[in-house]
Amino acid sequence: MPEAVTDQDRVHEVVVVGSGFAGLAQLLALRRAGITDVVLLEKADALGGTWRDNTYPGCACDIPSHMYSLSTVPNPDWSRSYSPQPEIRDYLERVADDEDLRGHVRFGQEMTGATWDEHRRTWTVHTRGGRTWTARFLVSAVGALHLPKTPQLPGADTFTGASFHSARWDHDVDLRGKQVAVIGTGASAIQFVPQIAGVAARVQLYQRTPAWVLPKGDRPLSGARRGFLARHPGVHRAYRAAVYAALESRAIGFHANPALLKPVEWLATKNIERSIDDPELVAKLTPDYSIGCKRILVSNDYYPALARPDVDVVTSGVREVRASSIVDGDGVEHDVDVIIYATGFHVTDAYDGLEITGRGGRTLRETWAAEGMATHLGMTVSDFPNLFLLLGPNTGLGHNSVVFMIECQARWVAQAITAVHARGMGGLDVRAEVQQRSNAAVQHRLQKGIWTRGGCTSWYLDAAGVNRTIWPGFTVRYWWETRRFDPTDVEFFGRAADAAVTADASDTADTADAGDAAGPGGAPAAAAPVGAGS
């Protein structure tokens, strides 16, 4: 009697990698398009992506709560204006449960690479431990903020105390009464430093470049208000639309006319001066670049924490780490019990650790090393057929909710796969000239933005100083460019009947233009910026 075909042995229609916002949004978009033979691979044993991994004290979103959610699964019950990490993770778990998505998820499957088979026209996904999964289409939803970046400090391996990255917070380490060194002053540091100041005996904050920090309009949302929004979904949609419009308006200063950000910079300067009396500390914390060049941060307690007598801000850098101390750039030795790295993530090099091999045996890493991180709409790469990247190059944001971009992309990917089905073809590959034109347009528009003209270097830039991270302009423009999949942008190849596919015919039914006339989340196209501004 022949052995039954297992879940891993069969060829699936789609494999999605990652179970954060992007992965779950893609599952929902594929299901709306009638594509159900989908497997989602998750490296951990639980859902949530970055909101599962980041559990440091004070972890929260810096986008208003009602915008940081899927437009198709709205949540009127956020407890605060800016959601804390546990609440966002609970929301993602609830989405998976309420939308019946868990049956697609395979936990403990960390992708290490993927290989395109030109003959079979399939992707073989390799996971840690030697397992493989095969599919016609591969969607990478791993995001850009999942690989912690830890600097290679001289002598760090000799340190005998506890050390960890903020994205992998070690809750077993008791900071009470300890000398704690924090390396880095980015988005995580401004949230957890106020939480540990006063708990630790002393906090030493090693700052390379100060950030611009604005006051955070955070407050609890009353039960009555939450109940009202739940009972009146139309009002909730209108509220989301208003928040979206307010955030979207900031793109004018970021992209069109950076001079318009001067009043915001004045407000940020006053925020420092209002919180700190020490002129020397004020000087340390005042950036020398235009606001917006780096990520703008929001906090009400960061500057007051730094003004505490048991918190030191060190700006001379780190010369070396010793067994129980750090020597700063001025040669001063500081006793240290615990080191916490708040040094961000691998962003422009996030795919370097994955062996994704396309046509001709060339890897994505090799392609981008030679040509830069060039894509079409941040999602497709020429010579990597049937591969889609969610939150790929130049689709990050500095002014609005990235979940909006995710929903645009997930819908576009579903349309692209549907277009292959409708033609009875084996797959698609973006035309090289289309990719070149798309990437050139993005880079041209970036030249006018604050990230290029603001006088700073940031994690938005790759090793060559080219911005490979930010979308240059309004998110509504991205929605417009992705609202309908354009078949003339790609080359279709093969015939589905000849491909090595074992998916049920019902799973690959012809849903030719499903969602083509819809905006993000299936809203009418004309109303999409309102209904899907997340």
Side-chain angles (χ1 to χ4, degrees):
M1 184 175 179
E3 293 184 9
V5 176
T6 67
D7 191 33
Q8 287 178 225
D9 292 335
R10 67 190 297 263
V11 179
H12 295 278
E13 189 64 11
V14 186
V15 163
V16 179
V17 182
S19 69
F21 270 101
L24 298 185
Q26 189 63 77
L27 288 182
L28 290 170
L30 291 170
R31 187 172 67 188
R32 286 196 299 271
I35 303 167
T36 58
D37 180 18
V38 185
V39 169
L40 186 149
L41 305 182
E42 168 53 51
K43 66 181 179 181
D45 58 0
L47 301 169
T50 189
W51 295 105
R52 175 200 59 236
D53 295 341
N54 286 267
T55 61
Y56 58 81
C59 183
C61 189
D62 59 3
I63 292 292
S65 299
H66 290 279
M67 286 302 303
Y68 205 76
S69 55
L70 298 169
S71 65
T72 54
V73 193
N75 179 26
D77 199 37
W78 296 111
S79 67
R80 302 191 64 85
S81 304
Y82 291 83
S83 311
Q85 174 267 336
E87 204 165 335
I88 298 174
R89 182 180 175 183
D90 288 347
Y91 166 77
L92 292 172
E93 296 274 5
R94 193 164 63 252
V95 168
D97 290 333
D98 293 350
E99 300 298 323
D100 195 23
L101 301 179
R102 289 188 184 273
H104 295 282
V105 183
R106 307 294 182 266
F107 292 108
Q109 299 297 310
E110 181 179 0
M111 179 175 73
T112 58
T115 304
W116 172 251
D117 187 320
E118 188 70 37
H119 175 68
R120 301 180 71 203
R121 298 193 294 280
T122 59
W123 280 99
T124 299
V125 180
H126 311 281
T127 61
R128 197 167 302 283
R131 293 185 176 183
T132 59
W133 301 79
T134 307
R136 290 182 67 191
F137 301 93
L138 174 59
V139 182
S140 172
V142 298
L145 303 179
H146 68 106
L147 296 175
K149 187 173 186 178
T150 303
Q152 301 300 309
L153 299 178
D157 57 343
T158 68
F159 185 67
T160 58
S163 64
F164 52 87
H165 193 281
S166 61
R168 302 292 184 267
W169 194 274
D170 189 342
H171 293 276
D172 292 331
V173 176
D174 188 354
L175 300 182
R176 287 177 294 184
K178 301 290 180 62
Q179 301 280 339
V180 179
V182 177
I183 312 293
T185 54
S188 63
I190 72 152
Q191 293 185 334
F192 75 74
V193 165
Q195 303 297 315
I196 67 173
V199 175
R202 178 165 294 278
V203 175
Q204 306 158 19
L205 181 63
Y206 290 81
Q207 171 188 277
R208 183 174 61 179
T209 308
W212 286 110
V213 182
L214 291 171
K216 187 176 185 180
D218 189 26
R219 65 184 187 278
L221 301 178
S222 69
R225 172 176 175 158
R226 291 147 62 184
F228 179 81
L229 292 177
R231 293 190 301 273
H232 300 88
V235 175
H236 187 212
R237 287 194 297 271
Y239 178 70
R240 281 171 54 93
V243 176
Y244 170 81
L247 294 175
E248 188 72 344
S249 67
R250 302 191 300 180
I252 299 173
F254 281 98
H255 302 281
N257 188 354
L260 296 176
L261 292 175
K262 285 298 181 183
V264 182
E265 187 172 309
W266 177 86
L267 178 63
T269 301
K270 291 300 178 184
N271 189 35
I272 302 173
E273 296 172 350
R274 182 172 56 250
S275 305
I276 298 174
D277 295 328
D278 180 359
E280 182 179 348
L281 184 55
V282 168
K284 286 182 178 181
L285 299 175
T286 303
D288 61 359
Y289 56 87
S290 299
I291 194 168
C293 186
K294 289 178 177 286
R295 182 177 178 180
I296 299 176
L297 307 177
V298 289
S299 175
N300 296 325
D301 51 11
Y302 179 62
Y303 288 141
L306 301 191
R308 293 175 56 100
D310 54 1
V311 176
D312 300 318
V313 178
V314 181
T315 59
S316 60
V318 175
R319 179 178 297 178
E320 67 171 312
V321 179
R322 295 177 178 173
S324 58
S325 64
I326 288 179
V327 179
D328 68 25
D330 291 331
V332 179
E333 186 172 8
H334 307 263
D335 291 336
V336 175
D337 300 311
V338 180
I339 299 176
I340 303 174
Y341 294 97
T343 45
F345 299 87
H346 291 275
V347 178
T348 57
D349 57 349
Y351 282 89
D352 284 2
L354 297 175
E355 286 294 313
I356 298 179
T357 306
R359 282 178 164 162
R362 195 180 195 192
T363 67
L364 188 61
R365 181 179 62 250
E366 291 168 339
T367 299
W368 282 351
E371 305 168 8
M373 298 178 73
T375 67
H376 174 51
L377 298 173
M379 289 184 279
T380 56
V381 183
S382 184
D383 286 334
F384 291 82
N386 292 4
L387 172 67
F388 304 97
L389 312 176
L390 302 187
L391 290 184
N394 292 116
T395 60
L397 298 177
H399 72 281
N400 211 327
S401 171
V402 76
V403 182
F404 177 90
M405 305 292 277
I406 287 171
E407 291 196 278
C408 290
Q409 293 172 344
R411 187 192 69 256
W412 187 90
V413 169
Q415 290 181 7
I417 295 174
T418 295
V420 175
H421 293 167
R423 290 160 176 77
M425 304 300 285
L428 58 79
D429 190 7
V430 65
R431 298 178 184 274
E433 65 273 17
V434 169
Q435 174 178 301
Q436 183 178 18
R437 186 168 61 246
S438 175
N439 185 65
V442 165
Q443 291 302 323
H444 175 73
R445 294 201 302 271
L446 279 168
Q447 295 305 309
K448 299 183 294 184
I450 191 67
W451 299 282
T452 301
R453 299 163 56 185
C456 74
T457 57
S458 71
W459 56 267
Y460 298 147
L461 312 180
D462 66 9
V466 180
N467 192 322
R468 304 290 186 181
T469 306
I470 293 293
W471 171 253
F474 293 100
T475 62
V476 70
R477 178 170 185 163
Y478 190 78
W479 165 79
W480 179 261
E481 293 188 10
T482 59
R483 75 195 188 285
R484 290 190 180 93
F485 170 76
D486 186 348
T488 65
D489 287 340
V490 304
E491 294 178 349
F492 294 96
F493 58 84
R495 292 197 57 81
D498 299 329
V501 177
T502 62
D504 293 337
S506 60
D507 288 343
T508 58
D510 179 359
T511 52
D513 295 311
D516 276 4
V530 172
S534 54

